[in-house]
Coordinates of all heavy atoms in Angstrom, one line a residue:
D284 N 0.9 -6.7 7.4 CA 0.6 -8.0 6.8 C -0.9 -8.2 6.6 O -1.7 -8.2 7.5 CB 1.2 -9.1 7.7 CG 1.0 -10.5 7.2 OD1 0.4 -10.7 6.1 OD2 1.4 -11.4 7.8
L285 N -1.2 -8.3 5.2 CA -2.6 -8.4 4.9 C -2.8 -9.9 4.2 O -3.8 -10.1 3.5 CB -3.1 -7.4 3.8 CG -3.7 -6.2 4.5 CD1 -2.7 -5.4 5.3 CD2 -4.2 -5.2 3.3
S286 N -2.0 -10.8 4.4 CA -2.0 -12.1 3.8 C -1.9 -13.3 4.6 O -2.0 -14.4 4.1 CB -0.9 -12.1 2.7 OG -1.2 -11.3 1.6
R287 N -1.8 -13.2 5.9 CA -1.6 -14.4 6.8 C -2.8 -14.7 7.6 O -2.8 -15.5 8.5 CB -0.4 -14.2 7.8 CG 0.9 -13.7 7.0 CD 1.5 -14.8 6.2 NE 2.7 -14.3 5.5 CZ 3.8 -14.1 6.1 NH1 4.0 -14.3 7.3 NH2 4.9 -13.7 5.3
G288 N -4.0 -14.1 7.1 CA -5.3 -14.4 7.9 C -6.0 -13.1 8.0 O -7.0 -12.9 7.2
P289 N -5.7 -12.2 8.9 CA -6.4 -11.0 9.1 C -6.3 -10.1 7.9 O -5.2 -9.8 7.4 CB -5.8 -10.4 10.4 CG -5.0 -11.4 11.0 CD -4.6 -12.3 9.9
V290 N -7.4 -9.6 7.4 CA -7.6 -8.6 6.4 C -8.5 -7.5 6.9 O -9.6 -7.6 7.2 CB -8.2 -9.1 5.1 CG1 -8.3 -8.1 4.0 CG2 -7.3 -10.3 4.5
P291 N -7.8 -6.3 7.2 CA -8.7 -5.2 7.8 C -9.7 -4.7 6.9 O -9.6 -4.8 5.6 CB -7.5 -4.1 8.1 CG -6.5 -4.4 7.0 CD -6.5 -5.9 6.9
T292 N -10.7 -4.1 7.5 CA -11.8 -3.5 6.8 C -11.2 -2.2 6.2 O -10.2 -1.7 6.8 CB -13.0 -3.1 7.6 OG1 -12.6 -2.2 8.7 CG2 -13.5 -4.3 8.2
L293 N -11.7 -1.6 5.2 CA -11.3 -0.3 4.6 C -11.4 0.8 5.7 O -10.6 1.6 5.8 CB -12.1 0.1 3.4 CG -11.7 1.4 2.7 CD1 -10.2 1.3 2.3 CD2 -12.6 1.6 1.5
E294 N -12.5 0.8 6.5 CA -12.6 1.8 7.6 C -11.5 1.7 8.6 O -11.0 2.7 9.0 CB -14.0 1.7 8.2 CG -15.2 2.1 7.3 CD -14.9 3.5 6.8 OE1 -14.6 4.5 7.6 OE2 -14.9 3.7 5.5
F295 N -11.1 0.4 8.9 CA -10.1 0.3 9.9 C -8.7 0.8 9.3 O -7.9 1.4 10.0 CB -9.9 -1.1 10.4 CG -8.9 -1.2 11.5 CD1 -9.2 -0.7 12.8 CD2 -7.6 -1.8 11.3 CE1 -8.1 -0.9 13.8 CE2 -6.7 -1.8 12.3 CZ -7.0 -1.4 13.6
Q296 N -8.4 0.5 8.1 CA -7.2 1.0 7.3 C -7.2 2.5 7.4 O -6.2 3.1 7.6 CB -7.1 0.4 5.9 CG -6.8 -1.0 5.9 CD -6.7 -1.5 4.5 OE1 -7.7 -1.6 3.7 NE2 -5.5 -1.8 4.1
K297 N -8.4 3.2 7.2 CA -8.4 4.6 7.3 C -8.0 5.1 8.8 O -7.3 6.0 8.9 CB -9.8 5.1 6.9 CG -10.0 5.0 5.4 CD -11.5 5.4 5.1 CE -11.7 5.4 3.5 NZ -13.1 5.9 3.2
K298 N -8.5 4.3 9.7 CA -8.1 4.6 11.0 C -6.6 4.5 11.3 O -6.0 5.3 12.0 CB -8.9 3.8 12.1 CG -8.4 4.0 13.5 CD -9.1 2.9 14.5 CE -8.6 3.0 15.8 NZ -8.5 4.4 16.5
Q299 N -6.1 3.4 10.7 CA -4.6 3.2 10.7 C -3.9 4.4 10.2 O -2.9 4.9 10.7 CB -4.2 1.9 10.0 CG -4.6 0.7 10.7 CD -4.2 -0.6 9.9 OE1 -4.7 -0.7 8.7 NE2 -3.4 -1.4 10.4
I300 N -4.3 4.8 9.0 CA -3.7 5.9 8.3 C -3.8 7.2 9.2 O -2.8 8.0 9.4 CB -4.4 6.3 6.9 CG1 -4.2 5.1 6.0 CG2 -3.9 7.6 6.3 CD1 -2.8 4.9 5.6
R301 N -5.0 7.5 9.8 CA -5.0 8.7 10.6 C -4.2 8.5 11.9 O -3.5 9.6 12.3 CB -6.5 8.9 11.1 CG -7.5 9.1 10.0 CD -8.9 9.6 10.6 NE -9.5 8.6 11.5 CZ -10.3 7.6 11.2 NH1 -10.6 7.4 9.9 NH2 -10.8 6.7 12.1
T302 N -4.1 7.3 12.4 CA -3.3 7.2 13.6 C -1.9 7.3 13.3 O -1.1 8.0 14.1 CB -3.7 5.9 14.3 OG1 -5.2 5.8 14.5 CG2 -3.0 5.9 15.6
I303 N -1.3 6.7 12.4 CA 0.0 6.7 12.1 C 0.5 8.1 11.7 O 1.6 8.6 12.1 CB 0.6 5.6 11.1 CG1 0.0 5.8 9.7 CG2 0.3 4.3 11.6 CD1 0.5 4.9 8.7
A304 N -0.4 8.8 10.9 CA -0.1 10.2 10.5 C 0.0 11.1 11.7 O 0.8 12.0 11.8 CB -1.2 10.7 9.6
A305 N -0.8 10.8 12.7 CA -0.8 11.6 14.0 C 0.5 11.5 14.7 O 0.9 12.4 15.4 CB -2.0 11.2 14.9
Y306 N 1.2 10.4 14.5 CA 2.5 10.2 15.1 C 3.7 10.3 14.1 O 4.9 9.8 14.2 CB 2.6 8.9 15.8 CG 1.6 8.9 17.0 CD1 0.4 8.5 16.9 CD2 2.1 9.4 18.2 CE1 -0.5 8.5 18.0 CE2 1.2 9.5 19.3 CZ -0.1 9.1 19.2 OH -0.9 9.2 20.2
K307 N 3.4 11.0 13.0 CA 4.4 11.5 12.0 C 5.0 10.3 11.2 O 6.1 10.4 10.7 CB 5.4 12.4 12.6 CG 4.8 13.5 13.4 CD 5.9 14.4 14.1 CE 5.2 15.6 14.8 NZ 4.4 15.3 16.0
I308 N 4.2 9.3 11.0 CA 4.6 8.2 10.1 C 4.2 8.5 8.8 O 3.0 8.9 8.6 CB 4.1 6.9 10.6 CG1 4.8 6.3 11.8 CG2 4.2 5.8 9.5 CD1 4.2 5.1 12.5
N309 N 4.9 8.4 7.7 CA 4.5 8.9 6.4 C 4.4 7.8 5.3 O 4.3 8.1 4.1 CB 5.4 10.0 5.9 CG 6.9 9.7 5.8 OD1 7.3 8.6 6.0 ND2 7.7 10.7 5.6

């Protein structure tokens, strides 16, 4: 959810991508 208040930084979104990919989320 990017619309109810919190909007992540681009750098944190990249961290999200790296982390979910490490656990095989695609």
Side-chain angles (χ1 to χ4, degrees):
D284 181 357
L285 272 61
S286 286
R287 310 290 176 74
V290 178
T292 63
L293 181 60
E294 286 309 305
F295 186 74
Q296 285 183 293
K297 290 179 178 179
K298 174 183 171 59
Q299 289 177 299
I300 294 296
R301 293 192 302 272
T302 307
I303 64 176
Y306 292 93
K307 304 179 177 66
I308 290 173
N309 60 5

